[in-house]
């Protein structure tokens, strides 16, 4: 017999138990990452779990934001009071499920029903699954009538060969330009060193602040430092900071990444622009250095996130669609998927025009996306 519970902290469940459901693609739903995201002053987190005879079958975080902190809603959720389900906002989101296909469907149904009851108790009138993968969207729509909207594209370098040379083969005609970027970096007298995040918080925080200021995303230095310290506390063993240093060992910039299963996740970078040398420091710290590191550590996939898709595709990334999916409450059973197909296609066309490639046609044939 199954049981659905709502936990108030990720610490209420053992890390290895939770992480038994978390595949390589879901670092942002891992126990350590979620622990670092727990901020009761920012959003109330709940962890809904479905289990049977002590075996975890399904799990998800959800976040109830007060109005002052609530991220903007996608149009499909406009005028709704939502409970956000899955990653907090802006991160890869898919369902954490155990077992075969039939067992997964049953566990997801129980999970969603538990979430609906929780949301109604909070006075919410919809569940929002934001930045959801296509497979998870189809699975959800096979159980409940979903309103969905294409949200964005996430970029991932799939380096099946696992070596820097196999990565170079991914680049096709772009390989000469990318090799030039590596040479320019080396000829400028710069190099990369690696260290765990705990050793780099104080030196890196001001550089991240400089980069955020440069791109009109300013954040208080104390907030940046606090965020990095929390991540170091929960994730230091998974962290790698790629430190860009000059001939004297002085820090020019750095990039924080995390290893999860066979994937490396690029997180945040910062640079001292009074010391950079127009030598492709960013791309060496975020792409080429990490890819060489991945070869040494037998990792084959580099997750690059949602923005700047053109630069990512030119450096070998493939683009995957992610969705916003809304379930109005009270919940009803029955398959269904409602979309504004013209709006979704317009966004896909815009991504294609910006990226100039990296979109596998089968994955982006949006008319074929139907409930499972």
């Amino acid at each position: 017999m199954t049981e659905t519970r709502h936990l108030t902290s990720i610490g209420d469940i053992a890390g290895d138990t939770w992480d038994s459901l978390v595949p390589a693609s879901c670092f942002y739903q891992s126990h350590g990452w979620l622990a670092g995201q727990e901020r009761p002053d920012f959003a109330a987190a709940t962890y809904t779990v479905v289990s049977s005879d002590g075996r975890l079958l399904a799990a998800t975080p959800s976040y109830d934001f007060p109005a002052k902190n609530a991220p903007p809603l996608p149009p499909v959720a406009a005028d709704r009071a939502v409970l956000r389900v899955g990653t907090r906002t802006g991160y890869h989101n898919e369902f954490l499920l155990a077992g075969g296909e039939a067992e997964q469907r049953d566990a997801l149904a129980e999970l969603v029903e538990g979430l609906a009851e929780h949301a109604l108790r909070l006075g919410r009138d919809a569940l929002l699954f934001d930045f959801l993968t296509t497979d998870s969207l189809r699975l959800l729509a096979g159980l409940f009538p979903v309103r969905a909207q294409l949200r964005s594209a996430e970029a991932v370098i799939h380096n099946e060969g696992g070596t820097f040379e196999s990565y170079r083969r991914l680049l096709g005609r772009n390989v000469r330009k990318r090799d030039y970027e590596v040479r320019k970096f080396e000829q400028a007298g710069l190099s990369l060193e690696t260290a765990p995040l705990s050793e780099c918080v104080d030196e890196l925080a001001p550089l991240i602040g400089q980069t955020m200021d440069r791109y009109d995303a300013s954040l208080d230095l104390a907030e940046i430092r606090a965020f990095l310290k929390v991540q170091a506390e929960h994730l230091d063993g998974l962290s790698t900071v790629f430190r860009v240093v000059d001939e004297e060992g002085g820090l020019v910039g750095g990039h924080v990444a995390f290893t999860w299963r066979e994937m490396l996740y690029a997180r945040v970078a910062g640079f001292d622009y009074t010391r950079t040398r127009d030598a492709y420091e960013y791309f060496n710290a975020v792409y080429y250095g990490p890819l060489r590191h991945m070869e040494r550590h037998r990792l084959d996939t580099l997750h690059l996130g949602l923005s700047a898709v053109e630069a990512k595709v030119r450096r070998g990334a493939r683009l995957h669609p992610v969705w916003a999916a809304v379930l109005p409450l009270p919940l009803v059973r029955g398959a269904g998927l409602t979309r504004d197909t013209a709006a979704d296609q317009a966004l896909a066309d815009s991504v294609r025009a910006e990226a100039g490639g990296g979109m596998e046609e089968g994955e982006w044939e949006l008319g074929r996306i139907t409930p499972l």
Side-chain angles (χ1 to χ4, degrees):
M1 184 174 179
T2 59
E3 176 188 19
T4 301
R5 294 177 294 148
H6 304 288
L7 311 177
T8 57
S9 172
I10 193 67
D12 293 337
I13 187 169
D16 56 352
T17 300
W18 180 279
D19 286 341
S20 68
L21 294 185
V22 183
S25 56
C26 292
F27 168 67
Y28 296 119
Q29 288 158 285
S30 67
H31 195 275
W33 178 262
L34 294 175
Q37 296 287 298
E38 267 191 16
R39 290 186 51 184
D41 60 320
F42 193 67
T46 299
Y47 306 89
T48 301
V49 297
V50 178
S51 56
S52 176
D53 297 325
R55 176 175 171 243
L56 191 62
L57 300 178
T60 188
S62 62
Y63 296 93
D64 186 32
F65 283 85
K68 65 179 181 178
N69 293 336
L73 290 172
V76 72
D79 302 322
R80 288 284 182 178
V82 304
L83 178 68
R84 289 180 177 266
V85 181
T87 50
R88 197 167 72 179
T89 181
Y91 301 125
H92 176 102
N93 190 3
E94 65 181 274
F95 296 124
L96 306 182
L97 304 168
E101 183 178 332
E103 190 176 24
Q104 287 187 359
R105 288 175 64 88
D106 290 343
L108 178 58
E110 293 198 36
L111 183 73
V112 172
E113 287 168 352
L115 287 163
E117 293 173 0
H118 175 58
L120 287 170
R121 285 194 296 269
L122 294 172
R124 304 308 180 200
D125 65 10
L127 301 175
L128 171 60
F129 305 80
D130 211 1
F131 300 96
L132 195 65
T133 64
T134 299
D135 286 346
S136 286
L137 170 65
R138 297 185 65 205
L139 184 57
L140 183 65
L143 296 168
F144 304 99
V146 176
R147 301 176 186 177
Q149 169 193 351
L150 182 63
R151 194 72 158 100
S152 187
E154 61 178 355
V156 182
I157 294 177
H158 301 279
N159 184 22
E160 285 85 359
T163 68
F164 194 76
E165 184 58 33
S166 64
Y167 164 68
R168 291 179 72 251
R169 291 196 293 269
L170 289 178
L171 299 173
R173 64 183 182 181
N174 286 322
V175 67
R176 291 185 179 180
K177 177 67 168 80
R178 307 292 81 85
D179 286 349
Y180 169 75
E181 293 173 351
V182 174
R183 288 197 306 273
K184 184 75 178 288
F185 180 81
E186 294 170 347
Q187 291 167 358
L190 301 174
S191 59
L192 284 175
E193 299 176 351
T194 59
L197 179 56
S198 59
E199 296 180 8
C200 305
V201 169
D202 290 335
E203 66 174 5
L204 195 57
L207 277 60
I208 292 172
Q210 281 194 42
T211 297
M212 295 183 76
D213 290 344
R214 190 181 183 96
Y215 293 98
D216 298 320
S218 297
L219 191 63
D220 182 76
L221 180 58
E223 180 75 9
I224 297 171
R225 185 176 286 110
F227 189 67
L228 293 176
K229 284 183 176 179
V230 169
Q231 290 191 349
E233 177 184 348
H234 293 285
L235 295 162
D236 206 41
L238 304 179
S239 71
T240 303
V241 177
F242 296 89
R243 302 173 71 252
V244 180
V245 296
D246 60 21
E247 300 90 337
E248 288 75 41
L251 187 66
V252 176
H255 161 225
V256 182
F258 295 99
T259 300
W260 182 249
R261 313 299 191 201
E262 62 270 20
M263 293 180 68
L264 187 71
Y265 284 76
R267 278 300 307 144
V268 64
F271 295 88
D272 180 349
Y273 295 100
T274 68
R275 305 185 69 179
T276 54
R277 302 178 179 182
D278 194 25
Y280 300 98
E281 290 90 347
Y282 176 86
F283 295 112
N284 278 273
V286 177
Y287 292 78
Y288 312 134
L291 282 155
R292 292 189 186 279
H293 172 86
M294 290 166 61
E295 177 178 358
R296 293 191 295 272
H297 293 272
R298 298 184 179 181
L299 310 174
D300 60 19
T301 308
L302 178 59
H303 189 278
L304 296 166
L306 298 171
S307 60
V309 292
E310 179 185 12
K312 293 170 181 176
V313 167
R314 287 185 176 183
R315 288 162 182 84
R318 308 301 295 177
L319 301 181
H320 306 287
V322 288
W323 303 82
V326 174
L327 287 183
L329 302 178
L331 198 64
V332 296
R333 290 294 295 262
L337 180 57
T338 301
R339 297 193 292 116
D340 183 337
T341 54
D344 288 348
Q345 189 60 55
L347 178 56
D349 292 343
S350 175
V351 170
R352 183 174 286 105
E354 177 188 353
M359 301 170 73
E360 295 183 11
E361 289 306 316
E363 193 172 5
W364 287 89
E365 290 180 6
L366 304 185
R368 293 188 177 184
I369 296 173
T370 57
L372 286 175

